[in-house]
Amino acid sequence: MTNLQTYTVTRSLFTEFPNLTRQTLLSSLTLAGSPLMTGTIPSNLPTRITTLNISDTGLTGVIPSELGRINSILSIANSPGISGTLPSVFSTFNQVNFVNLSLSGSLPSNLWTISPSVSLAFNQFTGSLPEPGATIRSLTLSLSGNQLSGTIPSRLSANVTFNSFLISNNLFTQFPDFWRSAPPSNIRSLALENNPWECPTADWCVNTSCPCTPSPTTAAPTQVVTTTAPTTAPTTAPVLCVDTLSLIHISE
């Protein structure tokens, strides 16, 4: 069959990625629950695919940059054999989910404009959040379970309403000043837990989602006091006084 528009396989015993090069009309591809499927994601998928869902597979390798042409939903999840960095060509999706893979490196500079919904949770991304530009398109952002650090961009305090901003289980330490007085009213769902926040954070979350760790104080240098033992006067041998008279022999 070469006229398929939707191809969905779940809970399969497939051991390799299906050959779909002849499915020129294919627009939606779902492969889920195929842990025996090994190999890599092919770069020559049909060009009309607008929705791709791959999850719970044994696939390995990198995410092909050719998938950047998909303009609707790109979801690859629960396949920890998928590694490498996030291709910089990704920019025009409606939804991006790369969850529980082994992606690493820095977040792309266009993070805030890739898609209205971006989930890169439970990977190995490092570094800081890129500073958003004048336009913010990614209003649902999940970055939990990585190794991110640095500061929270000040643009998150602007009049832009976010559906969610989830950064729990990372390495953030600097709590943003613009969140100290009150929880952000422009973010409907906020997750800050399990970051090593330095004190102070904010009263509204210090006992729940943003407990902090006091900065280590520098111990005062130990002052070494050298004391000189008092000089003890040399002991003078006692002088034996002898009564010479007692040594005189008296003759009768």
Side-chain angles (χ1 to χ4, degrees):
M1 298 178 63
T2 58
N3 58 352
L4 293 177
Q5 295 185 16
T6 300
Y7 187 99
T8 300
V9 176
T10 60
R11 299 179 180 273
S12 77
L13 297 178
F14 283 9
T15 58
E16 61 183 17
F17 206 99
N19 185 351
L20 301 171
T21 54
R22 295 185 178 182
Q23 303 298 334
T24 56
L25 300 180
L26 191 65
S27 62
S28 177
L29 172 61
T30 297
L31 299 172
S34 302
L36 300 180
M37 184 183 295
T38 59
T40 60
I41 301 174
S43 59
N44 60 344
L45 291 176
T47 57
R48 291 195 180 189
I49 289 181
T50 59
T51 298
L52 176 64
N53 290 286
I54 300 173
S55 64
D56 299 285
T57 71
L59 294 171
T60 58
V62 301
I63 300 175
S65 59
E66 287 81 1
L67 299 187
R69 63 174 176 260
I70 295 175
N71 59 15
S72 183
I73 298 174
L74 178 56
S75 179
I76 304 175
N78 302 325
S79 300
I82 302 296
S83 58
T85 58
L86 194 64
S88 59
V89 297
F90 290 176
S91 60
T92 58
F93 305 101
N94 290 331
Q95 181 178 339
V96 173
N97 295 318
F98 294 147
V99 178
N100 195 23
L101 307 177
S102 297
L103 300 179
S104 58
S106 302
L107 294 174
S109 58
N110 63 343
L111 174 70
W112 304 96
T113 58
I114 292 176
S115 165
S117 177
V118 177
S119 181
L120 304 176
F122 301 103
N123 281 282
Q124 300 169 20
F125 289 109
T126 57
S128 58
L129 296 176
E131 192 69 31
T135 301
I136 296 179
R137 185 167 175 253
S138 303
L139 302 180
T140 296
L141 188 61
S142 175
L143 301 172
S144 296
N146 282 283
Q147 301 170 34
L148 300 170
S149 57
T151 59
I152 307 300
S154 58
R155 282 277 285 140
L156 268 70
S157 64
N159 294 325
V160 178
T161 301
F162 291 85
N163 294 318
S164 62
F165 180 66
L166 313 179
I167 57 169
S168 59
N169 295 283
N170 275 286
L171 300 175
F172 292 103
T173 58
Q174 303 175 48
F175 197 83
D177 290 336
F178 49 85
W179 285 351
R180 292 191 195 281
S181 60
S185 58
N186 63 322
I187 301 178
R188 294 169 182 167
S189 178
L190 178 67
L192 305 173
E193 297 86 352
N194 298 321
N195 281 283
W197 299 112
E198 293 179 357
C199 296
T201 52
D203 291 341
W204 57 268
C205 68
V206 70
N207 294 322
T208 53
S209 61
C210 64
C212 62
T213 303
S215 300
T217 56
T218 304
T222 303
Q223 183 176 3
V224 179
V225 179
T226 304
T227 57
T228 304
T231 303
T232 304
T235 304
T236 305
V239 179
L240 179 62
C241 297
V242 180
D243 185 356
T244 56
L245 294 178
S246 64
L247 301 176
I248 300 174
H249 177 66
I250 301 175
S251 305
E252 292 183 358

